[in-house]
Amino acid sequence: MKSSPPEVRILANAAAAVPLLLDEVRTLLTSSKSPLLGFATGGTFTAFLQALGHELGAGRIPAAGNLLATHLDEYLGYAPDQKGGMVHELGSACPHLLAMLAKGTFFPVPHDDAPASLRAHEQRLQRAGGVQLQFLGIGRNGHLAFNEPGTPFDSGFHGTTLAETTREDARARFRPAEPPTRAVTSGIATILAAKRLVLCAFGKAKAPAVAAMLQGPVAPTCPASVVRTHGNVLVLLDREAASLLQSGLVGA
Ligand code: PGA
């Protein structure tokens, strides 16, 4: 285990994270010839993705043509063009990612959990040099991607059953249909293999999970706590999400 604890920044508001996340992308593009960036989905990243779309459209991301991209998870049965799915969400916020998908430089998470599909996806990420920078959200229950509480830390890409809080939080995007019950997710070991992790959490509803992640035990009961074993992690919080942290206790 590496010892360097996560760098935690408490921002005035969620909007303040957007320029920092854009800077992460710019830095990534200077660090490697064709770096692989792992996007996260969810409301936490929508403003950033829209801003990235604007910056790319305006040509303000140098060397953007070299970028390779992927993401964390997909609902089972949701093909890239299906509304409600993660690739559809990413492409709606940042259409550039759909152009990358068409070009073959965006690697969608398989929407089936056949072992051969999962293995092929992992191998594709490895052939691309592995994820250099992984963006992450956190669930109210402490999940990381769709690694729900109890998921072993040594997991790779796998099919999973969504927790009830996860389905509840996804309800609005599928209404009037019921939210899906199953998904394919990047595993915790896969996430930890990325060179750098940048995790964002905004809003009061995330405060208990953020406190458990940074100050509770490092254990599968709070999958996100595993980021404390990584060594190159930036955590961006707004004041509400940080409101249950005890000062000075963020440790590796
Ligand atoms: P959210 O989801 O950004 O919609 O809050 C994050 C997550 O569940 O990991």
Side-chain angles (χ1 to χ4, degrees):
M1 264 188 209
K2 295 173 194 142
S3 58
S4 170
E7 178 190 354
V8 179
R9 293 187 60 180
I10 300 172
L11 309 172
N13 51 48
V18 169
L20 301 178
L21 295 169
L22 290 173
D23 280 352
E24 289 284 340
V25 176
R26 290 193 174 92
T27 303
L28 174 72
L29 280 160
T30 62
S31 71
S32 154
K33 207 163 168 285
S34 46
L36 178 57
L37 168 58
F39 286 98
T41 44
T44 304
F45 282 90
T46 306
F48 156 69
L49 287 165
Q50 290 168 344
L52 179 64
H54 284 130
E55 294 301 289
L56 288 165
R60 287 196 293 259
I61 306 277
N66 297 338
L67 190 67
L68 301 174
T70 188
H71 60 120
L72 285 170
D73 43 27
E74 187 55 275
Y75 295 108
L76 209 67
Y78 280 71
D81 59 352
Q82 191 164 339
K83 195 161 181 283
M86 299 306 196
V87 176
H88 185 272
E89 175 187 320
L90 287 164
S92 304
C94 183
H96 186 86
L97 298 180
L98 294 181
M100 290 178 68
L101 181 67
K103 244 186 10 185
T105 54
F106 178 94
F107 310 141
V109 171
H111 53 282
D112 71 281
D113 61 356
S117 308
L118 302 179
R119 212 172 28 249
H121 183 63
E122 295 250 18
Q123 285 168 353
R124 188 141 82 139
L125 301 186
Q126 277 161 18
R127 275 199 308 274
V131 175
Q132 307 286 307
L133 170 64
Q134 179 66 60
F135 290 138
L136 294 165
I138 179 174
R140 274 195 288 149
N141 64 356
H143 75 198
L144 206 55
F146 281 140
N147 294 284
E148 304 289 15
T151 309
F153 283 171
D154 60 359
S155 55
F157 268 88
H158 61 283
T160 185
T161 299
L162 300 175
E164 264 322 300
T165 53
T166 302
R167 294 189 68 229
E168 230 172 272
D169 290 345
R171 196 164 289 280
R173 71 192 279 155
F174 293 102
R175 200 171 275 134
E178 281 295 296
T181 55
R182 303 259 310 151
V184 172
T185 184
S186 179
I188 291 177
T190 323
I191 291 169
L192 290 180
K195 275 224 177 92
R196 176 166 171 80
L197 308 178
V198 176
L199 186 147
C200 294
F202 310 127
K204 215 175 161 64
K206 299 289 173 73
V210 166
M213 165 176 73
L214 293 173
Q215 296 179 333
V218 176
T221 44
C222 178
S225 64
V226 82
V227 301
R228 280 150 63 200
T229 69
H230 184 278
N232 184 5
V233 183
L234 173 63
V235 176
L236 300 176
L237 307 172
D238 66 3
R239 293 193 182 116
E240 284 89 15
S243 60
L244 295 178
L245 289 175
Q246 296 174 49
S247 56
L249 285 183
V250 177

